[in-house]
Amino acid sequence: MHQLTVLTLVLVALCSLRSVDSSAYDKIVTHSRIRARKEGPNVCALQQVMGTNKKYFSTCRNWYKGSICGKKAVVLYECCPGYMKLEGMKGCPAVAPIDHVYGTLGLVKATTTQQYTDMSKLREEIEGKGSFTMFAPSNDAWDQLAPEMRSALESNVNIELYNALHFHMVNRRFLTKDLKNDITVTSMYNDLGLYINHYSNGIVTVNCARIIHGNQIATNGVVHVIDRVIGFVSNTIKGVLDVNDDLSSFSAAALASGMMDKLDQPGHYTLFAPTNEAFDKLAPGHLERIMGDKAVIAALVNYHLLNSVQCSEAIMSGTTYETAEGSTIEIGCDGDSLTVNGIKMVLKKDIVTTNGVIHLIDRVLIPDSAKEVMELVGETQSTFSDMVSELGLAAALGPKTEYTLLAPVNTAFTKEVMTTDQSFLKYILENHILKLKITLNELYNGQLLETWAGKLLRVFIYRTAVCIENACMMRGGKEGSNGALHVMKSLITPAEKTIYQLLVVDGRFKIFLSLMETAGLTDLLQQEGSYTIFAPTDDAFEGLSKEDLSLLKSDLNALRVILLYHFSNGVFINGGLEGGVTNLLKTIQGNNLQVKSVNNSILVNSVGVPDSDLMATNGVIHVVKNVLYPADLPVGRQDLLVLLKKLIKYIQIKFVSGFSYSEIPLTFIIPDSTKVIRVIEGEPSITTVTRVIENEPKLTHVTRVIDNKPTITKVTRVIETEPSVATVVVEGEPVITKVTRVVQGDPSNTKVTRVIEGKPSQSTVTRVIDGQSSITKVTRVIETEPSVTRVVVEGEPVITKVTRVVQGDPSNTEVTRVIEGDPSFTKVTRVIKPSQSTVTRVIEGKPSQSTVTRVIEGKPSQSTVTRVIEGKPSQSTVTRVIEGKPSQSTVTRVIEGKPSQSTVTRVIQGKPSQSTVTRVIDGKPSQSTVTRVIDGKPSQSTVTRVIDGQSSITKVTRVIEGTFP
């Protein structure tokens, strides 16, 4: 028993070897020696296909299966290469004697080849000096040669037979370890090449002839016995296609695809070439259709081509190979026949060329990339395909239409689905057809895919799954010439409602919704986003009294901690959870949920989920009948502990005296959501904005047209009260904007009318600030009529009137503002040619008035200002001329007594300017006179100042470039 275990381990170790110094052939022989160790020394175990003479040093796979190419194989025990039996002794204890090549041919029982070397006068050469490698056909190989060919050789032994034998020889010794894959060695006939392939399963071929007994050492070389007679090779794959009339259809396809030049270049290819009869089996018009599309025909040709040489004798079981087109095919064998994708189709094998090998097949291989998408639908999705045809959708899925099918498997079409109203069933199917070609490697998490029905489907990417809405993909997606196919495990159900709406409509979550409202978390259920919620039903709160609920609601932090532990960012559906392992979902509260998917159902924190995958526009709902609570989170109050124990019985809640819940910032609450649609030079675009400030939603509606119809904007905003509305039109007929805003009171109205190159625009604003309403009216005219604005602020109404003319009549602005008293009146008139402005202002008393007249080029401007500071008014008059008469300024100011006056006269180029200043300091006035000339007469300055009664006089005269007076 122990020896058997050791032997098994040795076999496993040897079967797992991948890279050693010896060749794959040498490893297989070593394996065979170990398998036959019970038979004595140097014995190898071989497998022989029943009913044939074919024997193999087999691979581990074939050995344990007991078959080769699907045929049962029996085990034979023979001496390993280079060893012999001795009579009366077990196994093969003797080493074969070493002889020259001719003698070695007899030793390996290649007697026909040995005989032909005698007949062709080659014997003397292979008995003499040199270092040769002879690939000697076995006796069976000569027997398999066509009789006419063999007769031709035997009838001309000095030339044809001699040359044929020389073609099997190399003027150098090559052991199997030297025969590397894809090398070419030069034969001794006209230096023609011999094409070597050394495969990982230990098979070594020469021009696709298999070495069945290798490495028989001779004094002047080595002998390898092969299983067939090899012929001369001179053509490339293209050359064979050109001269073989039965391959003319494939040749035409290769030319149309631009691939023919590649088939004429050096390389190592395998071509499965369909015959003309194979093309005749295609549906009528199919070849013509694909021949018209170079990309499709190139894909078809490349699908028949492998970038490696696969001789038929090297294929012992089904193996997958990548084609030049990029997808894969399975090459296998069934007895002596080759199979492609499990189908016997090879008519002729091993047509060796200088750049590969050709196998003729009796049907055309069509890759997915050369098929229309509807042709990709398999048997497991046949119900979907049939329904698409029956409901009239197939007609639109033509070869020039690009689309993607999300094809559910047949089991998804339950009896309930099939009895659905036909129009609704058509709508369901349209939601399984995407408007664009989307391949698997183009999908990403959060992607939106538009369906024929106009719905947007969300993509969710998980570790082991790709899902669209509630349905996950199965393996086997395909890409066609005009689209892609993805196989879905179930029907896709697009979300229609938010989490909040689903919970309300369901009716099982009244208590949970009430708690969410108390915690100020209702917006989380309504806002845009991607959330997973484990929503407890009313049954989860069955043990609580009204007092218990009141207690729970009284601690806002505790309530939020509990509720937010039921939420996780991201959408996690059942099909996206990795099966058999614990999936950790981080909650918004901060702790992890432990989620498992077992037998197509969900467990969260070991609690069952009776209803899962309720898809919402902002997430997914999984229903639980228990309140969830973090196992490692303690409670710091006894009353709350008692309450939670009534709710949560699946874990033991810890009590830590004095523990308090940390406040969770509600930064995850999004204030509003916005939807924008815009049309350029066409139909109106619509913008919708909804925002709620702790009350009902508000709505904003915008319609905008560029060079066409008017746009409409509607805004509704609620500040703890009622909504407001706004409307606007641009470029065209007058637009009306109405805005109502409420700040803890009655609504205010804003009305704006604006005209571009037409009638006047008008704006009315009413605003209430803890009292009566204020109204603002603005009218603006571009090259036309005046505009008016009116404003009222805090109390009695104030009127503001503004008229502005760009090229026309003067504009008037009238503003009246009250600051806790009588109204003040301000009137400003501005003209490009003369303007006048009057301002009246009241500071807790009588009004002050200011008049300003200003001329840019013409008459003088005048400004009068009267100001009262707790007494009499002060007045200031200013006259200024830029190039003309003198400007004069008079200022009178009262500071708790008599007025002070200042007069200033100034000339830039002309008469002197004079300034007189009178100032009263606790009594008598002080006066100052200043005269100044820039280029002319002297300037004089006199200052009179009163200090405690007596006046002092100061006179200053200054001349700038003139004479002193």
Side-chain angles (χ1 to χ4, degrees), residues 60-220:
C60 293
R61 178 181 178 183
N62 291 326
W63 178 264
Y64 289 113
K65 287 180 65 176
S67 64
I68 295 175
C69 286
K71 301 298 182 181
K72 185 174 178 59
V74 296
V75 177
L76 300 178
Y77 296 101
E78 296 182 357
C79 290
C80 295
Y83 296 92
M84 297 179 62
K85 287 183 174 293
L86 290 179
E87 187 175 353
M89 298 185 66
K90 187 177 181 179
C92 303
V95 176
I98 298 179
D99 201 352
H100 44 59
V101 170
Y102 179 83
T104 303
L105 289 174
L107 189 65
V108 295
K109 299 180 181 179
T111 55
T112 302
T113 301
Q114 188 180 46
Q115 179 185 352
Y116 282 158
T117 59
D118 275 331
M119 296 171 57
S120 62
K121 311 301 182 183
L122 184 63
R123 175 176 178 176
E124 182 178 352
E125 183 177 353
I126 61 177
E127 285 181 337
K129 295 180 179 180
S131 181
F132 309 108
T133 296
M134 173 166 276
F135 298 102
S138 67
N139 293 345
D140 288 339
W142 287 108
D143 292 341
Q144 293 169 9
L145 189 65
E148 60 274 15
M149 292 185 65
R150 189 169 182 178
S151 296
L153 294 174
E154 291 175 350
S155 63
N156 192 352
V157 295
N158 293 329
I159 298 177
E160 296 296 335
L161 184 58
Y162 179 84
N163 291 340
L165 291 174
H166 256 181
F167 183 66
H168 288 74
M169 294 177 60
V170 179
N171 197 14
R172 179 182 173 186
R173 181 167 59 194
F174 285 93
L175 300 177
T176 53
K177 67 181 180 64
D178 304 315
L179 298 174
K180 308 296 184 183
N181 190 48
D182 285 338
I183 68 169
T184 301
V185 296
T186 303
S187 74
M188 295 177 64
Y189 172 68
N190 284 349
D191 291 336
L192 292 178
L194 295 174
Y195 301 97
I196 308 299
N197 290 99
H198 198 143
Y199 300 96
S200 60
N201 60 4
I203 300 295
V204 181
T205 62
V206 182
N207 287 13
C208 285
R210 177 170 65 94
I211 294 178
I212 59 176
H213 187 113
N215 297 330
Q216 194 68 46
I217 303 297
T219 56
N220 57 349

Side-chain angles (χ1 to χ4, degrees), residues 580-718:
V581 299
T582 300
N583 299 264
L584 298 179
L585 305 186
K586 187 173 183 178
T587 67
I588 296 179
Q589 175 268 335
N591 290 69
N592 290 329
L593 290 169
Q594 297 183 8
V595 184
K596 287 185 178 181
S597 179
V598 180
N599 298 326
N600 202 34
S601 51
I602 298 176
L603 294 175
V604 53
N605 291 3
S606 74
V607 173
V609 177
D611 198 1
S612 63
D613 294 349
L614 305 182
M615 301 304 295
T617 57
N618 56 345
V620 63
I621 302 170
H622 303 302
V623 179
V624 291
K625 293 186 177 181
N626 297 80
V627 174
L628 305 177
Y629 190 84
D632 54 351
L633 189 65
V635 176
R637 288 167 40 196
Q638 285 290 349
D639 56 349
L640 187 58
L641 178 64
V642 173
L643 185 152
L644 291 179
K645 284 184 175 181
K646 293 180 182 179
L647 277 177
I648 304 161
K649 299 178 181 178
Y650 65 93
I651 59 171
Q652 187 69 33
I653 300 176
K654 301 175 184 178
F655 177 77
V656 176
S657 180
F659 174 82
S660 61
Y661 296 105
S662 300
E663 182 179 355
I664 300 177
L666 302 185
T667 54
F668 49 83
I669 299 294
I670 303 173
D672 56 24
S673 60
T674 304
K675 179 181 179 182
V676 178
I677 303 173
R678 186 173 182 184
V679 178
I680 306 299
E681 298 182 355
E683 297 181 1
S685 62
I686 299 174
T687 302
T688 302
V689 180
T690 305
R691 184 176 183 183
V692 178
I693 309 295
E694 297 183 3
N695 208 326
E696 299 178 358
K698 65 184 179 62
L699 177 65
T700 299
H701 186 85
V702 177
T703 305
R704 184 174 183 184
V705 179
I706 308 301
D707 297 330
N708 206 333
K709 297 181 180 180
T711 67
I712 299 174
T713 303
K714 184 176 181 181
V715 180
T716 304
R717 184 174 184 186
V718 178

